[in-house]
Amino acid sequence: MARKTSDRLVAHLKATGHVTEEVTPRRILFSSFSNAERVKFLLRLTVHSSSRLLKFLDVVKLGVSPDPTSGALPESLSWSEERVSDLRCKGRTLHETAFVEDDAAHPFIMLHAVEASFEFSARGAIGDCRAVFSFPRFESHGDRNSELVVRVQDIRLTFGNVRPRALETLLLEELQDLIVQEFTSHSQT
């Protein structure tokens, strides 16, 4: 899935004339962002999503680690200093926690996974699902060259008759387009 997103990004940049035809796909890596940029990027994919098919509902899981190289933590995170190396949160409205809501905390944390719930309306189908954006090799091995992966799961239809696999493909394509759009925006700043 990550490779498809990279291919879409390159195709978009070629189509808009931002890069030449000779350019090869660029992977979206954990290390493609500063800590603060990564938080903002993942929030633009979830909390502040501009998707035309998906409406953000809630952040239900977070994977975050304090960055030991970033210096003294702000007061809102001082409780985690020298105690937490990796924190996986599961719950509701996690986008309102200090990790996410406090901009001053962003340079000091390594956000590596976000799972959000969305409502969708597509091809006459209405329902909800969860989308997971993660850097899995960073989560499991601390690999800063981990590539972004997106998954759609727990698709529940409340109205409509669309094959689940076709709906999953449609929602993944929407998320990949959103990733391309946001990463292109990030790359141009």
Side-chain angles (χ1 to χ4, degrees):
M1 212 42 65
R3 180 64 55 205
K4 287 182 182 179
T5 301
S6 295
D7 292 344
R8 286 183 95 118
L9 174 61
V10 170
H12 171 75
L13 292 174
K14 287 179 180 180
T16 58
H18 286 93
V19 296
T20 64
E21 288 296 320
E22 295 79 35
V23 170
T24 56
R26 179 175 173 204
R27 300 176 347 172
I28 301 174
L29 305 176
F30 183 85
S31 61
S32 298
F33 308 91
S34 69
N35 289 338
E37 290 169 342
R38 190 177 317 99
V39 172
K40 287 184 182 4
F41 176 72
L42 291 170
L43 290 179
R44 286 192 310 265
L45 298 176
T46 54
V47 178
H48 307 296
S49 173
S50 62
S51 170
R52 58 186 170 78
L53 302 179
L54 294 157
K55 178 186 171 204
F56 170 78
L57 295 174
D58 199 4
V59 170
V60 295
K61 289 184 185 175
L62 286 177
V64 64
S65 302
D67 186 348
T69 67
S70 63
L73 296 175
E75 186 63 34
S76 63
L77 299 178
S78 62
W79 60 269
S80 68
E81 196 160 17
E82 297 183 22
R83 293 183 198 141
V84 176
S85 61
D86 188 46
L87 185 64
R88 295 171 203 277
C89 305
K90 183 178 181 180
R92 294 180 16 200
T93 62
L94 294 176
H95 54 286
E96 296 175 0
T97 63
F99 298 115
V100 179
E101 196 167 70
D102 182 6
D103 288 348
H106 295 173
F108 302 92
I109 62 169
M110 298 181 292
L111 184 61
H112 53 77
V114 176
E115 182 175 328
S117 59
F118 292 90
E119 289 178 334
F120 63 81
S121 178
R123 291 191 184 161
I126 298 172
D128 59 78
C129 65
R130 292 188 179 199
V132 179
F133 302 90
S134 68
F135 296 92
R137 297 234 359 115
F138 182 83
E139 288 181 80
S140 61
H141 298 95
D143 182 358
R144 290 178 180 262
N145 288 319
S146 180
E147 191 167 355
L148 177 67
V149 173
V150 61
R151 294 186 328 269
V152 175
Q153 57 192 39
D154 299 333
I155 297 173
R156 294 185 315 198
L157 278 174
T158 55
F159 178 81
N161 188 16
V162 178
R163 290 182 303 124
R165 191 68 175 149
L167 190 54
E168 179 183 5
T169 299
L170 178 68
L171 296 175
L172 272 172
E173 287 174 355
E174 174 71 8
L175 291 172
Q176 289 171 344
D177 287 345
L178 186 61
I179 290 168
V180 168
Q181 172 187 332
E182 294 301 337
F183 191 70
T184 300
S185 175
H186 163 75
S187 297
Q188 294 174 350
T189 58

